[in-house]
Amino acid sequence: QVQLVESGGGLVQAGGSLRLSCAASGSTFGTYAMGWFRQAPGKEREFVAAIRWSYGTTYYADSVKGRFTISRDNAKNTVYLQMISLRPEDTAVYYCAEQNRVYCSGYGCYSDHRRWDYWGQGTQVTVSS
């Protein structure tokens, strides 16, 4: 069993920055990948970024590429999402996720929310105009 807890969300003006953190606890020995999804009110959950836990390979949605950076600290079992140049359309609840059962081998897998095994409760990010 794995537990994920996000933190770092808040209210910022357009153009501002936030850094999200997600700490994993429990049975984290077999972590394959960690990632971030987001969901705005009335919209589907969408992929943001993912990182392979061992190799550090990263994947990003086109909408955030160049603005968001995903990173991890293996020793701390923590994944981060550094967000800069935030836009109002980035407003959403951001969810941390872990893949620990089904291995992914490409963007099409990581971006599919059905391929992720564990989810955090989410942290709200609001970007004002």
Side-chain angles (χ1 to χ4, degrees):
Q1 188 73 279
V2 174
Q3 296 80 44
L4 306 174
V5 180
E6 304 97 333
S7 62
L11 174 64
V12 298
Q13 288 190 320
S17 302
L18 282 175
R19 183 182 179 88
L20 306 183
S21 299
C22 174
S25 61
S27 302
T28 61
F29 182 77
T31 301
Y32 182 80
M34 298 282 286
W36 293 91
F37 288 73
R38 66 187 183 185
Q39 187 167 24
K43 299 183 66 177
E44 297 287 327
R45 186 169 299 188
E46 67 172 342
F47 173 74
V48 176
I51 186 167
R52 178 75 186 273
W53 206 244
S54 295
Y55 302 154
T57 308
T58 58
Y59 301 85
Y60 295 94
D62 288 341
S63 59
V64 306
K65 194 173 297 182
R67 299 187 298 119
F68 293 8
T69 302
I70 188 171
S71 62
R72 92 289 199 203
D73 187 330
N74 299 63
K76 295 181 179 180
N77 294 317
T78 300
V79 64
Y80 306 94
L81 187 69
Q82 179 67 55
M83 307 183 293
I84 65 171
S85 302
L86 284 163
R87 306 164 180 168
E89 53 263 41
D90 294 318
T91 295
V93 176
Y94 283 70
Y95 296 93
C96 176
E98 177 178 334
Q99 213 283 57
N100 203 1
R101 297 186 181 185
V102 180
Y103 295 158
C104 282
S105 60
Y107 182 89
C109 179
Y110 290 115
S111 62
D112 184 351
H113 68 89
R114 298 170 298 181
R115 295 299 202 98
W116 294 82
D117 302 303
Y118 301 100
W119 296 86
Q121 292 299 113
T123 185
Q124 178 71 48
V125 172
T126 302
V127 184
S128 64
S129 59

